[in-house]
Each structure stands twice: as structure tokens, then as C-alpha cells.
Amino acid sequence: MSQGVPGVPPPPVLLDALAKASAAPENCGYLPNAGIPELRNAMVAEMKRSYGADADLTLDDIAITAGCNLAFVAVAKAVADVGEEIILPIPWYFNHEMTLTMLGIKPVLLHTYAKEGFLPSVERCASLITERTKAIVLVTPNNPTGAVYSPSLIASFAKFARDRNIALVIDETYRDFITTHTPHHLFSCSSSHASTADFVPASDWDWRTTFVHLFSFSKSYCIPGHRLGLICASPALMPALTTALDNLQICAPRPPQAALAPLLPALRPFVRATAEAVAHRHTLFKARLPPRWRVGSQGGYYAFVRHPFAGVHANVVCERLAKEMGVVSLPAGFFGPREDEEGTVGDEDRWVRFSVANVDDLKVEHVCERLEESERVFGWELD
């Protein structure tokens, strides 16, 4: 339960389309680095289903990338220079931190806390702004914590970023695994929503001024090996983005774009069924988890769980779980600055990320049984 990978293959109709597209000679050549217009238009339609029919989106807002990680690299290069700053909530998605560090951009840490469900605070974020701040990055549903940010929280960050004239970059790789509500309404331009907390006031809101949306096809369509991601941003930012993309990828893989473009509407039942299956495993995992193991937040692919061993760093717990219990998970230490495992262990050092996406129900139950067994086997003091 360590890796965030799909637990099922794509449906046969997509596999067949991928094979056909890969065999077509016309799909062996270059294409514009923003992607084929057919897929970009198709994604506009899918995004209107996800965010509302009044979402203000066009083909010109969309660029297809070779995966969402590369999308983030391109956005970072487009909005910030060496020595400038981008704010990241912590625990962070480690590829984001590594990208910024590699590019010479300073990651500024916005701490989140278990008692608040690992949700970021606009007020704490405000205290981190300097003249070098160029962007705030959010991930929702979050990796690693699984926390799902409410539309009202996202709207408050969008308003704050607009007021400070800095970019708000939201990685929504796990968007389609939100099954209970619309992820947010930032793309909406409907004045009828202006008075609700979920919407930035419509009278002066234009998402293209500061908002950048990132998406991955890897999780929703179960094709991580085909490397497709997406940037949705203002056409005014697109020249800088496509310049970065031209240097990084030339163009995203062509066959999966050709395969997906006509199929997206037909794949909606598969995407929904996959999301419901993951939601079911979240429910099962929480129900079967031993009482001393506490879920701090969960959603998307992940549950963030506090282990019960007093004074023991999660790095040590995860190592023993892997070696002695056959349970592979990732400690919170992987998602923040490197710390001394031998020093004082605080509450923030006791969290473990579990992925429920690539296991079946039986394995979820076996893992929970082994976690309970570890309480007896490890011989450590329990809370």
C-alpha cells in the first residue's frame, strides 16, 4: 500500500484504441506541443461536466503534457525564476519540492496540522508572502494526506492569490475520485453564485488572471505508462508554457491523445466505477483499521494514518512493517525536509501514508490484521 498506482487496467475499449492508434503511421510524427485539438476540445467538455456547465473554458486554455509532473515543471519555469519563491503546503508531494529545488526556486513551507485535517490555512499562508513569492501550490485531493479541500477553502485561496497578484496552481490529479460534490467553482462566471462562500465574487473574478489547473490522465484512465497530463491556464500564459514544453518534451505522446479524444464520453462509466471502488476501499480500510491506528485524513488514493507506537519515528515503524509484517507503506518523513530519526519524536513524525488504490478488499483486510499483529510483535509502548 505504498505506491499511488491504479489497481485495475484500462477498459478493453481503451486498450484496443491505444493499440490501433500506436499502429497508425500518422501518429508517429510530431504535433503541436499544446497537443491535438481533438483531445483539448474533448477535455473542455469533460471539465464542464466536472466543474459545471457554466465553466468558462475553451480549447485555447488547454495544453497537453507528457504527464502531470512535467506539467508542473513547465508551470514552475513559466511563473518563477531562480531565487524566487513558491509556497508548498507540507506534508508536500515530493516531486513538487524536488522540481523547485532542481530549478533553483525556493520552496516556502506552509505547515498543515492533523488537528485541522491537514488543511492549509489562508491566514498562515499570508504570513509567508514576500516580494519574491510567485505562486501558491495546492494538491487536492491531497498527496500524501488524502485531504480533500472544500470548494470554499479553494475559493478563499483563489481570492487571496488574486488580491496578491500571484499564481494559484492546483494539482487536481485525483479530481475524479471526489464522488460527493463539485471539486470547486473557480471556472464559473455565473453571477448567481456570487454570494456563496464556495465562489469567488463573480463581479470581479476572472480565473485566467491567476489560476492554473493541472490534471493527470494516469489515475482516472489507468494509463500512467502512457504519460499524459494537462495544463489549463490563461492563453496569455500559454506562450511561456509552450516554450518550456518545447524544451522539455517537444510534444506529448501522440498515440494516447488520438486514442482518448473520441472515447472520453464513453469512458465516463469506467471512471466513475473506479472512483466508487476506491471510495469503498477507503471505507473498508477505516472500518478494519485497528483502533489504535488513527486516520487523520483520507481521499483520492490515500489515507494518512497515525501509528500507535509512542516515541517511535514513522520511518522506523515503516521499515519494520515492511521487513517483518510484509506491509509496505510510506512514512511522513518522505513528504517533508529530512529530519533526525534519533531526535525527539513529535506527533508530526508518527504519520504513515497508505494507498488504497492498488489493492483489493482482501488485501486491505490482511493489511489491517497485520497492523494489529505488529502491536504485539514489535514490543514497543503503545498509546
Side-chain angles (χ1 to χ4, degrees):
M1 298 181 73
S2 66
Q3 192 174 13
V5 296
V8 296
V13 65
L14 179 52
L15 289 172
D16 291 344
L18 287 165
K20 183 177 179 180
S22 297
E26 63 268 23
N27 289 330
C28 295
Y30 293 123
L31 63 138
N33 51 24
I36 64 171
E38 294 84 356
L39 181 58
R40 293 159 65 202
N41 269 323
M43 282 306 298
V44 167
E46 295 307 299
M47 292 174 71
K48 285 177 176 287
R49 286 182 60 87
S50 295
Y51 299 104
D54 63 345
D56 176 21
L57 295 161
T58 73
L59 172 147
D60 292 332
D61 301 319
I62 304 295
I64 305 299
T65 63
C68 193
N69 278 316
L70 190 139
F72 181 77
V73 176
V75 169
K77 289 174 69 68
V79 303
D81 291 324
V82 172
E84 294 180 327
E85 299 174 352
I86 290 180
I87 294 172
L88 294 183
I90 184 170
W92 60 40
Y93 173 47
F94 40 65
N95 283 50
H96 287 170
E97 183 276 332
M98 289 190 293
T99 291
L100 298 183
T101 300
M102 177 184 69
L103 295 175
I105 300 167
K106 180 182 178 182
V108 176
L109 308 187
L110 172 58
H111 286 270
T112 66
Y113 299 97
K115 64 183 179 181
E116 299 170 352
F118 294 103
L119 298 174
S121 160
V122 172
E123 292 72 24
R124 283 195 294 272
C125 186
S127 70
L128 302 176
I129 300 293
T130 73
E131 62 182 10
R132 295 185 298 277
T133 305
K134 296 301 177 182
I136 303 164
V137 175
L138 303 180
V139 182
T140 179
N142 190 259
N143 181 7
T145 68
V148 180
Y149 303 170
S150 69
S152 59
L153 178 61
I154 293 170
S156 67
F157 268 96
K159 183 177 186 302
F160 174 75
R162 188 271 314 272
D163 290 346
R164 296 301 184 98
N165 195 32
I166 57 178
L168 175 65
V169 182
I170 306 184
D171 182 332
E172 298 186 66
T173 290
Y174 302 95
R175 174 194 71 206
D176 291 326
F177 296 88
I178 299 174
T179 59
T180 57
H181 63 271
T182 301
H184 60 74
H185 304 282
L186 299 191
F187 294 117
S188 175
C189 58
S190 173
S191 59
S192 63
H193 303 300
S195 62
T196 71
D198 290 355
F199 291 79
V200 180
S203 60
D204 60 352
W205 171 246
D206 177 359
W207 72 264
R208 293 180 180 86
T209 58
T210 50
F211 176 45
V212 179
H213 159 87
L214 306 181
F215 178 71
S216 171
F217 294 82
S218 296
K219 307 304 193 291
S220 299
Y221 301 100
C222 301
I223 53 168
H226 285 281
R227 306 314 302 144
L228 278 189
L230 176 149
I231 302 170
C232 181
S234 168
L237 185 61
M238 278 297 168
L241 289 170
T242 54
T243 297
L245 291 172
D246 190 47
N247 285 279
L248 293 166
Q249 68 176 21
I250 304 298
C251 59
R254 188 167 187 165
Q257 295 188 59
L260 278 167
L263 280 182
L264 292 183
L267 293 173
R268 290 168 189 164
F270 170 79
V271 173
R272 181 71 182 188
T274 303
E276 290 175 348
V278 171
H280 163 73
R281 285 195 292 277
H282 270 299
T283 300
L284 178 65
F285 180 67
K286 189 171 185 178
R288 296 288 192 270
L289 198 66
R292 289 189 176 93
W293 296 73
R294 178 166 65 85
V295 174
S297 53
Q298 62 184 141
Y301 270 18
Y302 308 108
F304 218 47
V305 178
R306 185 181 184 272
H307 72 69
F309 303 110
V312 183
H313 200 288
N315 291 7
V316 178
V317 174
C318 288
E319 182 176 3
R320 288 195 68 179
L321 284 174
K323 290 181 176 179
E324 300 175 39
M325 310 306 300
V327 173
V328 184
S329 56
L330 294 183
F334 280 34
F335 305 99
R338 186 174 181 84
E339 296 177 350
D340 182 10
E341 297 175 15
E342 305 301 324
T344 302
V345 175
D347 183 79
E348 68 276 8
D349 301 315
R350 295 179 60 179
W351 294 88
V352 179
R353 190 193 79 172
F354 291 89
S355 171
V356 303
N358 60 340
V359 290
D360 57 25
D361 289 2
L362 185 59
K363 288 182 180 178
V364 168
E365 294 184 351
H366 285 168
V367 164
C368 292
E369 290 168 1
R370 293 183 186 189
L371 294 179
E372 187 170 23
E373 183 182 358
S374 74
E375 297 176 13
R376 300 187 298 272
V377 171
F378 290 175
W380 288 323
E381 179 185 350
L382 299 170
D383 285 339

